[in-house]
Amino acid sequence: MPEKFIFSSESVTEGHPDKVADQISDSVLDALLKDDPMSRVACEVMVSTGFAVVAGEISTKAVIDVQKIARETINGIGYTSADYGFDGNSCAVFTAIDEQSGDIAQGVDDAIEVRGQNLAESEIAKIGAGDQGMMFGYATNETKEYMPMPIALSHALARQLTKMRKDGILPYLRPDGKTQVSLRYEGRRAVHADTIVVSTQHDPSASLAQIREDMISRVIAPIVPPELIDDKTRIFVNPTGRFVKGGPAADSGLTGRKIIVDTYGGWVPHGGGAFSGKDPTKVDRSGAYMTRYAAKNIVAAGLADECQIQVAYAIGVAEPVSLNVNTFGTAKISEEKIAELLRECFDFRPAAIIRDLDLRKPQYKAVAAYGHMGRIDLPELPGWEKTDRADALRKAAGL
């Protein structure tokens, strides 16, 4: 990146139609994992005016009520009235679920490294990646979340917007909403908030003047550091002038369509695979979590100020086909040494990731909105957000 630049990231609230779909997908996944931790799940959801479609491939011993789960999720988000254009109590819920392909299952059940061999291999060696592809993980010491500041602030604004609605402080608010933060950087340090955008669905009776005043005083002011804002900061609140019609009634929503919101706000590359609705044998999810975990521990250990890790897999193969490290010139030791420490301290085989990050338990609906990374706001920190290997890395690096 150039020495001086402006970078923008966005977030959306849990009432955004794509996030409604993500949360239903992960609610179904959580319910299945609760009764059968070995469930194989690929659950996709589409929502539109008056209905939700839950589809995918699921192999499980669990018995769940998909319709009930979908309705409870929609109601929990806040779509509880036909006045909002979408109502969890009255919308139609259609299901179209098949079993996982046997061709895929055989590669996951027995990795190519052990397939056809009569060996007493451990479960760690046996499980192959559920798909091919590459995943990226990243961490930076720029924020307490170890996340790039534009996406960290965008998520915080979206959570604050929802808090104002759910706590009843601003009762005219409705579930759908979006936030965006554009920061001016000098080097790799944010020095100024160039533009802040907050768009929120609202009751028809609320005036734009009232909404703007409340968004600035109750949403933006408590979140954005005051030293970043001055009279040159542009603040746009509902820039179209009206946002009454929203959620699935205004736009259809699909699982996995907010992958940049889910990760690092576009600050680093994305492998292209979505997370929600997928069990942890799918490396789109588990591989991305593991690279985040490793990168965060590298930065927490002080080995670099920033760390980006790429890992790639072949379907049915346990060992990654590649592992790449980039510290953007901030490493305190050589990147070759960091890559060596990664291979020594982290096991990137799917079964090892599942074991080390405790990915078989229900926990995914909680991260299906407001980002999967940097979630220090959650009561129980996800396994991929812990920095429990930082001390060992620091000692191994001789720092």
Side-chain angles (χ1 to χ4, degrees):
M1 289 184 180
E3 184 66 22
K4 295 182 180 180
F5 59 94
I6 295 174
F7 195 89
S8 303
S9 293
E10 72 158 352
S11 183
V12 298
T13 66
E14 60 202 61
H16 186 280
D18 292 331
K19 278 293 146 198
V20 173
D22 283 341
Q23 289 167 94
I24 295 173
S25 291
D26 274 336
S27 294
V28 170
L29 173 63
D30 280 349
L32 291 165
L33 293 177
K34 181 180 179 182
D35 290 345
D36 179 9
M38 305 304 290
S39 296
R40 298 278 175 81
V41 185
C43 179
E44 314 290 343
V45 174
M46 183 188 78
V47 294
S48 190
T49 305
F51 71 90
V53 179
V54 183
E57 295 76 42
I58 296 174
S59 297
T60 183
K61 297 177 182 177
V63 178
I64 64 170
D65 187 337
V66 173
Q67 286 211 8
K68 181 180 179 183
I69 291 168
R71 295 185 190 282
E72 288 178 346
T73 303
I74 295 165
N75 285 332
I77 291 167
Y79 288 115
T80 56
S81 170
D83 292 340
Y84 300 165
F86 199 61
D87 178 6
N89 299 305
S90 61
C91 69
V93 178
F94 305 102
T95 60
I97 296 172
D98 292 319
E99 289 188 345
Q100 183 186 56
S101 163
D103 294 344
I104 295 174
Q106 71 175 8
V108 177
D109 294 337
D110 292 294
I112 196 171
E113 291 94 330
V114 301
R115 199 175 309 149
Q117 300 181 42
N118 189 19
L119 299 176
E121 293 286 347
S122 70
E123 286 301 312
I124 300 301
K126 278 175 63 64
I127 296 180
D131 202 351
Q132 71 174 47
M134 66 283 192
M135 300 85 216
F136 289 88
Y138 175 81
T140 172
N141 59 14
E142 181 183 16
T143 63
K144 64 181 183 296
E145 297 94 344
Y146 287 83
M147 292 287 285
M149 189 175 289
I151 188 64
L153 290 178
S154 294
H155 284 324
L157 288 171
R159 290 196 301 268
Q160 179 72 2
L161 180 58
T162 295
K163 181 175 173 29
M164 293 297 99
R165 172 176 65 88
K166 289 193 167 182
D167 287 354
I169 296 172
L170 299 177
Y172 61 80
L173 294 179
R174 290 182 175 178
D176 198 357
K178 302 180 79 172
T179 60
Q180 185 170 287
V181 176
S182 303
L183 298 182
R184 182 178 298 277
Y185 277 79
E186 294 183 2
R188 302 291 278 191
R189 185 173 69 90
V191 298
H192 180 247
D194 182 83
T195 307
I196 300 170
V197 184
V198 178
S199 296
T200 180
Q201 187 185 12
H202 59 88
D203 186 273
S205 64
S207 69
L208 181 58
Q210 178 187 7
I211 297 169
R212 178 178 172 82
E213 179 182 347
D214 288 340
M215 293 303 101
I216 293 173
S217 64
R218 295 182 179 272
V219 175
I220 297 173
I223 298 299
V224 181
E227 63 269 20
L228 293 180
I229 300 179
D230 59 22
D231 56 3
K232 295 182 180 178
T233 300
R234 297 179 297 171
I235 297 177
F236 295 112
V237 175
N238 283 11
T240 68
R242 180 178 170 87
F243 187 0
V244 172
K245 187 176 182 179
D251 290 295
S252 61
L254 294 171
T255 297
R257 201 159 57 176
K258 283 290 176 283
I259 57 176
I260 300 302
V261 172
D262 286 343
T263 52
Y264 306 100
W267 186 264
V268 294
H270 193 292
F275 304 153
S276 290
K278 296 178 181 177
D279 76 85
T281 65
K282 277 73 169 176
V283 286
D284 281 338
R285 175 164 232 157
S286 53
Y289 289 168
M290 191 61 170
T291 50
R292 163 64 176 176
Y293 176 57
K296 187 173 182 181
N297 275 271
I298 291 291
V299 174
L303 275 59
D305 295 332
E306 294 181 70
C307 183
Q308 172 189 294
I309 299 171
Q310 185 207 50
V311 67
Y313 293 91
I315 188 169
V317 182
E319 289 285 351
V321 298
S322 70
L323 183 67
N324 177 272
V325 179
N326 185 354
T327 63
F328 307 94
T330 68
K332 308 303 185 276
I333 59 176
S334 71
E335 288 186 349
E336 291 79 6
K337 179 61 176 177
I338 291 177
E340 180 183 323
L341 290 173
L342 281 174
R343 293 185 177 91
E344 291 176 1
C345 298
F346 300 92
D347 191 338
F348 286 87
R349 292 176 295 176
I353 297 173
I354 292 168
R355 175 199 63 196
D356 294 344
L357 302 185
D358 195 14
L359 298 184
R360 293 242 186 240
K361 67 181 182 181
Q363 59 186 310
Y364 298 109
K365 180 176 179 289
V367 294
Y370 312 113
H372 291 244
M373 317 301 178
R375 297 305 302 272
I376 61 174
D377 60 297
L378 296 176
E380 183 179 353
L381 202 64
W384 57 92
E385 287 300 317
K386 295 179 180 178
T387 55
D388 51 353
R389 300 195 185 184
D391 287 343
L393 284 166
R394 191 179 301 111
K395 291 176 182 177
L399 297 181

